[in-house]
Amino acid sequence: MTPVAFTLIFCSVMFSALGQTCFKTGVTRIVIAEGTGVLARALTMLTSPWVLLGLTCYAMGTVLWLFALRRIDLSLAYPFVAMSFVVVTGMAVIVLGEPLTLPKIIGLTLIVSGLCVMTFGT
């Protein structure tokens, strides 16, 4: 994998993870009155500035992903989406104050190990 392809994939994953963090922030900050219909709830969530920022981050990540796919095989690129588990967990711990537990650490270690095997095995 070339450094450019890796950078495109990494930035795509970072934008997607940032989008997830914005989504979580957006939906936890809004107040939805009891008895509000599903459509009204969805509209309230979709118009949250944080959710809109998350959608923008996702769009940017998608564009970078498309550029990455032009450079490398899908079978090599797609497993790197698993990096999002690592990045999202890191952002959740640092930004949202979520706990980092031993099972999460073990799982993330397994994911990173698998990515290393795939990258250096090609």
Side-chain angles (χ1 to χ4, degrees), residues 15 25 37 48 79 88 92 100 120:
F15 274 115
T25 301
S48 160
V88 167
L100 181 61
F120 299 120

Side-chain angles (χ1 to χ4, degrees), residues 52-81:
L52 292 172
L53 179 60
L55 290 170
T56 302
C57 290
Y58 251 67
M60 293 171 66
T62 299
V63 170
L64 291 171
W65 181 252
L66 294 174
F67 281 107
L69 289 180
R70 286 183 51 93
R71 296 178 177 273
I72 63 173
D73 293 340
L74 178 61
S75 61
L76 179 59
Y78 196 74
F80 280 87
V81 173

Side-chain angles (χ1 to χ4, degrees), residues 1-56:
M1 178 181 311
T2 67
V4 172
F6 179 79
T7 300
L8 287 168
I9 291 171
F10 182 77
C11 289
S12 172
V13 168
M14 291 299 290
F15 274 115
S16 296
L18 183 57
Q20 286 293 332
T21 306
C22 290
F23 289 160
K24 175 67 174 173
T25 301
V27 298
T28 56
R29 289 185 178 203
I30 60 174
V31 176
I32 300 175
E34 285 297 320
T36 305
V38 173
L39 271 157
R41 287 180 182 200
L43 186 60
T44 300
M45 284 190 253
L46 289 173
T47 57
S48 160
W50 283 101
V51 172
L52 292 172
L53 179 60
L55 290 170
T56 302

